C-alpha cells in the first residue's frame, strides 16, 4: 500500500511540475499556485539562491558567483564548450540507462523480449549522444564578411519582416532570416533559436541535426517504455498470475475483475519498472509535441524567430487597420451630422449599408520562403550554404 501511494504521489507531482512549467504563464493560471510554481522553477529558485549567497558570502561572493556562472552558462565555454544543461542532459540520459540496466536487464531474455535488446538499447543511447554532440558542436551557419553576399543572395528580403540593414555588432550587412545571437556573439543564418540544452544556436546548417535529435530521443523513450511493458507482460505470463488468480483465488476471468489485482501485483513487485514507464511516457509525449512543432515549422519553411516576428507584424497591422477603420467611421459620422455626405436613396439602403468599421483589410501571412513541402524539406536536409551553387551567388 505504501508503494502504491508513493507511485500516486510521484505521478501527481510530476504532472504538477510539467503543467506548471509548460502552462504556468497562460492567462487562465494568472494569480494561481500554478503560476507561482512556474515562477519558482524558472526564476524564483535562482533569485533565492543568489540572495542566499549574498547573505552568506556578501556582495563580493555573489559577484564572483555571477562571473563564474556567466563563464560556464552565459556563453559557449572555450575550454569545456559545455554548460549545466548539457551536463544535466548527459546525467539524465546516463542515470536513466543505468537504472534500467540494473533493474530490468536481469529479465532479458524474457517471454516476449529477446537478448538482442541488451545491445540495441546501448546502440540507441549511443546514437542519441552522437546526435547531441553534432547539434552542440556543429556550425549553425555563421554569417561572416566573406560569405555575407552569398547569404544575402540566397535569402532575399521580403520587405515585410526583413528589410536591408546592417548588424550593429558585426558591422556587416544582415541577410534576411538571420539574427545576431547575444550569447554566441555571432550572426546566424536562418536563425531559429538559441538552445540552452545544446549551448549552441539552431540555424541553417544544424536544424537537421536538431530535428533528428528530437525525433530519435522520442523514439528512444517510446522504445524503452514499450520494452519495459513487454518485460512486465512476460513476467505476468511466466509466473501464471492470471491462472493463479482465477483458479486458486476464484477471481472472475474478465478484464474488469482481474485488472485491480494485476495492477496491485505489478506495483508491489515491479515498482521501479512502473515508475520508469511513467517517466519515459511523459518525456516521450513532451518530445513528440516539441518535434511536431519544429517539424511543422520546417514543412512551412518558418523559424521560431520568424513565428514571433509574424505575430508582431500581424498584431501591428491589425491595430493599424482598426485605427484606419475607426478614423473612416468617425469621418463618415461627422459628415452625416453636418450633412456633407449624400443621403441614401432609401431607408432600406441606409439600414443595410456596410459600416466603415467592417471594411478592415484582412491581414494574412505572406511567407515568400515557403516553396512547398518537398523543397522545404530538401532545404533542411541539404542547406543552401552547403550546395555548390551557393558559392557562385553574388549579392544583387
Amino acid at each position: 500500500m505504501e508503494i502504491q501511494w508513493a507511485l500516486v504521489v510521484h505521478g501527481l507531482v510530476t504532472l504538477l511540475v510539467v503543467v506548471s512549467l509548460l502552462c504556468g504563464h497562460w492567462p487562465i493560471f494568472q494569480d494561481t499556485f500554478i503560476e507561482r510554481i512556474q515562477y519558482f522553477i524558472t526564476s524564483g529558485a535562482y533569485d533565492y539562491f543568489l540572495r542566499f549567497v549574498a547573505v552568506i558570502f556578501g556582495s563580493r561572493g555573489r559577484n564572483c558567483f555571477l562571473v563564474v556562472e556567466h563563464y560556464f552558462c552565459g556563453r559557449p565555454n572555450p575550454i569545456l564548450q559545455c554548460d549545466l544543461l548539457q551536463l544535466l542532459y548527459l546525467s539524465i540520459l546516463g542515470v536513466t540507462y543505468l537504472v534500467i540496466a540494473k533493474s530490468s536487464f536481469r529479465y532479458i531474455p524474457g517471454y516476449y523480449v529477446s537478448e538482442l535488446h541488451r545491445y540495441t538499447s546501448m546502440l540507441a543511447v549511443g546514437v542519441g549522444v552522437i546526435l547531441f554532440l553534432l547539434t552542440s558542436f556543429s556550425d549553425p551557419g555563421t554569417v561572416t564578411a566573406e560569405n555575407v553576399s552569398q547569404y544575402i543572395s540566397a535569402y532575399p528580403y521580403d520587405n515585410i519582416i526583413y528589410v536591408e540593414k546592417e548588424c550593429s555588432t558585426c558591422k556587416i550587412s544582415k541577410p534576411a532570416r538571420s539574427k545576431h545571437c547575444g550569447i554566441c556573439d555571432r550572426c546566424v543564418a536562418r536563425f531559429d533559436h538559441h538552445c540552452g540544452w545544446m549551448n549552441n544556436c539552431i540555424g541553417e546548417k544544424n536544424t537537421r541535426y536538431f530535428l533528428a535529435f528530437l525525433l530519435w530521443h522520442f523514439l528512444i523513450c517510446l522504445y524503452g517504455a514499450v520494452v519495459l511493458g513487454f518485460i512486465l507482460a512476460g513476467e505476468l505470463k511466466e509466473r501464471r498470475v492470471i491462472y493463479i488468480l482465477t483458479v486458486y483465488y476464484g477471481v472472475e476471468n474478465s478484464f474488469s475483475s482481474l485488472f485491480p489485482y494485476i495492477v496491485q501485483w505489478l506495483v508491489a513487485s515491479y515498482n521501479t519498472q512502473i515508475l520508469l514507464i511513467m517517466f519515459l511516457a511523459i518525456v516521450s509525449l513532451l518530445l513528440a509535441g516539441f518535434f511536431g512543432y519544429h517539424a511543422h515549422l520546417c514543412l512551412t519553411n518558418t523559424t521560431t524567430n520568424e513565428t514571433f516576428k509574424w505575430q508582431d507584424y500581424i498584431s501591428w497591422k491589425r491595430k493599424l487597420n482598426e485605427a484606419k477603420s475607426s478614423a473612416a467611421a468617425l469621418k463618415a459620422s461627422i459628415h452625416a451630422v453636418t450633412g456633407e455626405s449624400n443621403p441614401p436613396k432609401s431607408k432600406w439602403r441606409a439600414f443595410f449599408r456596410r459600416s466603415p468599421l467592417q471594411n478592415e483589410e484582412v491581414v494574412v501571412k505572406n511567407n515568400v520562403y515557403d516553396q512547398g513541402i518537398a523543397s522545404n524539406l530538401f532545404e533542411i536536409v541539404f542547406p543552401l550554404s552547403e550546395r555548390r551553387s551557393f558559392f557562385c551567388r553574388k549579392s544583387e
Side-chain angles (χ1 to χ4, degrees):
M1 185 62 68
E2 293 180 358
I3 295 176
Q4 293 182 15
W5 277 110
L7 184 62
V8 171
V9 171
H10 175 274
L12 291 176
V13 170
T14 303
L15 181 63
L16 179 63
V17 171
V18 170
V19 171
S20 301
L21 184 61
L22 298 180
C23 311
H25 61 284
W26 289 5
I28 192 175
F29 294 117
Q30 188 174 2
D31 298 327
T32 64
F33 70 96
I34 297 291
E35 183 186 42
R36 288 191 285 271
I37 292 175
Q38 194 263 353
Y39 168 76
F40 180 79
I41 295 174
T42 56
S43 303
Y46 179 76
D47 293 338
Y48 288 129
F49 178 75
L50 287 181
R51 294 178 187 177
F52 173 78
V53 172
V55 170
I56 300 299
F57 301 101
S59 59
R60 183 173 296 180
R62 179 179 179 275
N63 294 335
C64 290
F65 172 79
L66 290 174
V67 170
V68 173
E69 184 226 8
H70 175 73
Y71 181 77
F72 284 100
C73 308
R75 62 186 180 87
N77 189 285
I79 300 175
L80 301 176
Q81 193 65 27
C82 181
D83 67 0
L84 295 180
L85 287 177
Q86 287 178 311
L87 293 175
L88 179 61
Y89 158 77
L90 294 173
S91 300
I92 292 174
L93 187 67
V95 170
T96 303
Y97 181 78
L98 288 176
V99 170
I100 291 176
K102 186 175 180 180
S103 64
S104 304
F105 273 20
R106 62 175 177 265
Y107 302 113
I108 300 177
Y111 193 88
Y112 296 112
V113 181
S114 67
E115 181 77 17
L116 183 65
H117 290 285
R118 285 177 176 264
Y119 310 103
T120 55
S121 61
M122 188 181 302
L123 178 63
V125 172
V127 172
V129 173
I130 291 174
L131 290 173
F132 172 77
L133 295 175
L134 278 174
T135 310
S136 298
F137 293 95
S138 60
D139 177 20
T142 305
V143 181
T144 62
E146 290 73 24
N147 62 17
V148 63
S149 60
Q150 285 86 356
Y151 272 120
I152 291 176
S153 180
Y155 295 109
Y157 300 104
D158 62 357
N159 293 319
I160 302 177
I161 59 174
Y162 293 112
V163 294
E164 186 175 357
K165 60 181 179 180
E166 183 182 89
C167 176
S168 58
T169 305
C170 298
K171 303 302 180 184
I172 58 176
S173 298
K174 196 172 183 179
R177 316 194 75 183
S178 67
K179 183 180 179 181
H180 185 90
C181 178
I183 299 176
C184 295
D185 194 24
R186 59 183 170 183
C187 281
V188 178
R190 200 185 179 279
F191 179 88
D192 189 274
H193 69 286
H194 180 88
C195 181
W197 290 96
M198 305 296 177
N199 198 26
N200 195 10
C201 287
I202 305 302
E204 182 219 13
K205 288 186 177 181
N206 64 353
T207 297
R208 51 188 173 176
Y209 302 137
F210 181 68
L211 280 174
F213 171 85
L214 292 177
L215 177 61
W216 188 258
H217 281 72
F218 159 69
L219 294 176
I220 286 178
C221 293
L222 187 63
Y223 167 72
V226 170
V227 170
L228 287 173
F230 276 117
I231 287 176
L232 296 184
E235 290 297 302
L236 194 69
K237 187 76 172 179
E238 288 181 342
R239 296 178 183 277
R240 305 178 69 184
V241 174
I242 296 178
Y243 175 79
I244 293 173
L245 288 173
T246 54
V247 174
Y248 292 96
Y249 291 92
V251 179
E252 183 182 352
N253 192 7
S254 63
F255 178 81
S256 59
S257 300
L258 290 171
F259 181 76
Y261 296 97
I262 292 175
V263 170
Q264 185 177 3
W265 178 76
L266 287 174
V267 170
S269 304
Y270 303 95
N271 55 83
T272 303
Q273 286 75 18
I274 295 292
L275 292 173
L276 286 170
I277 290 174
M278 291 178 60
F279 171 74
L280 292 174
I282 292 173
V283 174
S284 65
L285 288 176
L286 295 175
L287 288 171
F290 202 38
F291 171 77
Y293 170 74
H294 280 278
H296 171 72
L297 292 180
C298 292
L299 292 176
T300 57
N301 209 335
T302 310
T303 65
T304 303
N305 181 50
E306 290 171 353
T307 300
F308 292 112
K309 283 181 174 291
W310 277 114
Q311 288 176 357
D312 293 340
Y313 171 78
I314 292 174
S315 176
W316 169 79
K317 196 71 175 177
R318 283 175 177 168
K319 290 179 181 178
L320 182 63
N321 291 341
E322 289 174 1
K324 289 180 179 180
S325 299
S326 298
L330 179 61
K331 185 177 180 180
S333 300
I334 293 174
H335 286 172
V337 172
T338 58
E340 296 179 7
S341 61
N342 296 324
K345 297 180 180 180
S346 67
K347 293 182 178 181
W348 288 106
R349 289 191 179 183
F351 182 77
F352 289 106
R353 183 171 56 186
R354 188 179 182 86
S355 170
L357 290 173
Q358 296 176 317
N359 294 329
E360 292 185 19
E361 179 185 352
V362 178
V363 183
V364 294
K365 176 182 174 182
N366 183 22
N367 184 12
V368 299
Y369 309 110
D370 186 358
Q371 303 297 321
I373 293 177
S375 298
N376 295 340
L377 284 177
F378 191 78
E379 183 178 326
I380 295 298
V381 179
F382 302 100
L384 297 179
S385 61
E386 294 187 355
R387 302 178 192 178
R388 188 174 300 177
S389 59
F390 177 80
F391 300 96
C392 302
R393 296 176 182 268
K394 293 183 178 179
S395 178
E396 298 179 358

